Amino acid sequence: MTAEQIAFHVSYASVESSAGDDPTPIAADLLRTERVLAASRGFDGDEAVFLIPVTESGHVVALDDDDRLRFDLSALELQRLFEAAALTLHLDLTDDALEEVDQELDEEFGAAFEQLDDPAAASEDLAGFGMPDADDDMDCDLAPVRVAEFSRRGPWGARITAQVTGVDVDYLEDGTWSLYRYATDQPHMALSGGRADEPIIELNLPQHGDAWVEVTAGGRTGMFWPNIERLTQPVLDIDAISVPESADVYRRMLLEADGTTEELQGLGLGEAVDVEAATRACAPEALGGTAGELDRVRAFVAAFGVPEALIAAGVDVQTAGRRFTPRGWPRTVADLAVAGIGETTSLTRRERPLPRAARFVRERPAIGAAISAAELAAGVAASRTRSPLVRGLGVLMIVDAIIDLAIWARRALSR
């Protein structure tokens, strides 16, 4: 077995029937007859999708009569077998096939693209080539996606997220984990105050379509679709394969087809994620993966150590907890100042000396006001000295003390 044969990729192949019906049964029988290490991903109404392993030399990975891997079936030969059964199999195209497709596109749409290069070309002239008229009503309203962000961040990010997205954000805590929950149809990104807040696990629950998860850590973001391989069915019976090495190749191919393990390892999270549990949440149900669409999503998020109660609140339609609303940037900045260091500190660092001291003083406004008053008095005294440097420092102390006193007054009124 050459290195070129061992190196294969899993091709997401589509199959179409000339009759327009579901080609899955016939296609599966063809692949089963050739003993191809393939899997079915179902029929979407137009085409059936299969996973087919293809080597770098363009050969399909299959089994011989002794259940050992064979590489004598080319992708072109497999396509001809499908054509004989009135099916069209779309696999990776060769360079010659790509050139043929380019030529067909150029013949059909070349005139339209030539007009695009002509500034004098009127937009209505392109309508005959299937391009929309400029006056057409392009109504592209998107349904809001429910978003649940799990991280170690305090409330500060919820305030800013509400202002950035323009929607209400619910905030919940459970131990050293927090949840930001909101719904939006606008592009956005997860806010981070540093590595102590990570990983940030953003669960997106659209009204239609599969849920997806974005995991951010160390400046990198991984994308995961826990349900994309849920209904994948092996064409061959893995347990019936007599050669363990062949069965292992087949099983690993199907378990790693969506790249979950590789993507997680690329984030460098180490022990912060249970890779085995996350992979099981994304694996096909037929191969022992977690059963159920919502259960798979919950299991994937739980692999990062997020408390179950917080996950339940994230996927629930109604959420309790604190609610932050868009209030304008000046008010948001003022609210952050009033909230103080306790709100901006990562939940994993709240028991460190500085946050604990800040919390102690905040719970006793009289002590905080006294400290600010002392700072004001010291600043006034420093501003009357002869040294320009000391006078400048004194002015800064006065300004800081006045701001602190205003904050303490605000806190006292809001208690």
Side-chain angles (χ1 to χ4, degrees), residues 301-385:
V301 175
F304 295 86
V306 180
E308 180 59 36
L310 217 57
I311 298 175
V315 301
D316 195 5
V317 176
Q318 300 295 330
T319 301
R322 299 175 63 184
R323 172 162 291 185
F324 297 97
T325 60
R327 310 178 74 175
W329 282 113
R331 183 66 178 273
T332 299
V333 172
D335 289 342
L336 287 170
V338 172
I341 191 174
E343 184 172 292
T344 59
T345 301
S346 169
L347 301 186
T348 58
R349 296 180 174 179
R350 280 187 170 176
E351 296 308 313
R352 291 190 175 186
L354 181 58
R356 290 180 63 184
R359 189 163 61 247
F360 175 84
V361 175
R362 183 188 175 104
E363 293 171 354
R364 298 162 178 80
I367 296 178
I371 294 174
S372 298
E375 182 184 13
L376 178 61
V380 171
S383 65
R384 294 174 178 176
T385 61

Side-chain angles (χ1 to χ4, degrees), residues 127-200:
F129 297 95
M131 298 186 180
D133 186 86
D135 296 330
D136 288 346
D137 182 16
M138 303 294 288
D139 185 9
C140 299
D141 291 338
L142 301 176
V145 175
R146 290 192 291 126
V147 181
E149 295 183 11
F150 306 93
S151 69
R152 309 306 183 102
R153 295 168 297 178
W156 69 271
R159 292 184 188 274
I160 298 179
T161 299
Q163 183 58 36
V164 170
T165 59
V167 298
D168 293 348
V169 177
D170 292 322
Y171 175 81
L172 285 173
E173 289 183 12
D174 189 338
T176 59
W177 284 93
S178 68
L179 164 67
Y180 299 174
R181 191 179 182 283
Y182 54 96
T184 181
D185 59 359
Q186 300 297 321
H188 60 280
M189 62 182 295
L191 302 172
S192 175
R195 294 298 297 267
D197 293 335
E198 298 173 351
I200 299 175

